[in-house]
Amino acid sequence: MNDILDKVFFHNTIQNYLIAVGFILLGFLIIGFFKRSILTRIARLAQKTNTNIDNFLVESVYRYGIQALYIAVVYIALDYLLLPRRLHNIVVLATTVAITILVIRLLSSTILLMLRAYIHGQDNGEEKVKQRVA
């Protein structure tokens, strides 16, 4: 059995590949558990409050945080393997681009929430939010 695990393909042993795949599977299971149990309970508690900021935070974690965790798990697993320099650079670049897109989306939705809250505070705020640009 050790003979099989010690075989080397592309500068990594089969054992290293299995560890990386196992890390991804375990990470995905932990994230799924966190999402289903803990985050769902926090969302229920946030619905009971009078403010919208906590609802926004929980929704942001659902939309952007969970995706970032999945990306991080895959990145860490791939970083465990000995990859050729060019492939390693591609993985780093792809991870950086994905996380940057998530951060930009989070910032844009936060700015939109703040603008809506500001407009709601003005006279006829509800009507202004519902207006469309023709």
Side-chain angles (χ1 to χ4, degrees):
M1 184 68 168
N2 283 341
D3 293 338
I4 295 172
L5 294 177
D6 290 335
K7 287 191 178 190
V8 177
F9 293 99
F10 303 109
H11 307 293
N12 292 293
T13 63
I14 291 179
Q15 182 177 0
N16 288 349
Y17 288 117
L18 290 175
I19 289 171
V21 169
F23 184 81
I24 291 172
L25 293 175
L26 181 65
F28 282 16
L29 286 174
I30 291 171
I31 293 169
F33 172 76
F34 171 75
K35 191 168 111 177
R36 280 190 307 278
S37 63
I38 297 170
L39 206 53
T40 303
R41 289 180 188 163
I42 293 172
R44 276 191 238 127
L45 289 173
Q47 290 294 330
K48 294 178 183 178
T49 63
N50 293 332
T51 63
N52 287 335
I53 193 81
D54 52 357
N55 296 339
F56 174 75
L57 289 173
V58 170
E59 182 182 335
S60 294
V61 170
Y62 263 118
R63 293 176 72 187
Y64 309 115
I66 298 296
Q67 292 178 16
L69 287 174
Y70 282 127
I71 292 168
V73 165
V74 172
Y75 174 77
I76 292 169
L78 290 176
D79 195 46
Y80 177 77
L81 298 173
L82 182 61
L83 300 175
R85 193 73 182 145
R86 185 175 179 148
L87 183 57
H88 176 74
N89 290 341
I90 291 171
V91 169
V92 169
L93 179 65
T95 303
T96 304
V97 168
I99 296 295
T100 302
I101 289 170
L102 290 175
V103 168
I104 290 170
R105 289 179 63 199
L106 174 65
L107 289 174
S108 67
S109 63
T110 302
I111 291 169
L112 185 62
L113 175 76
M114 292 182 345
L115 285 173
R116 284 186 180 160
Y118 174 75
I119 292 172
H120 276 290
Q122 294 181 342
D123 294 334
N124 299 326
E126 290 290 328
E127 293 174 18
K128 290 179 182 178
V129 170
K130 292 180 183 178
Q131 285 180 352
R132 289 187 174 179
V133 177

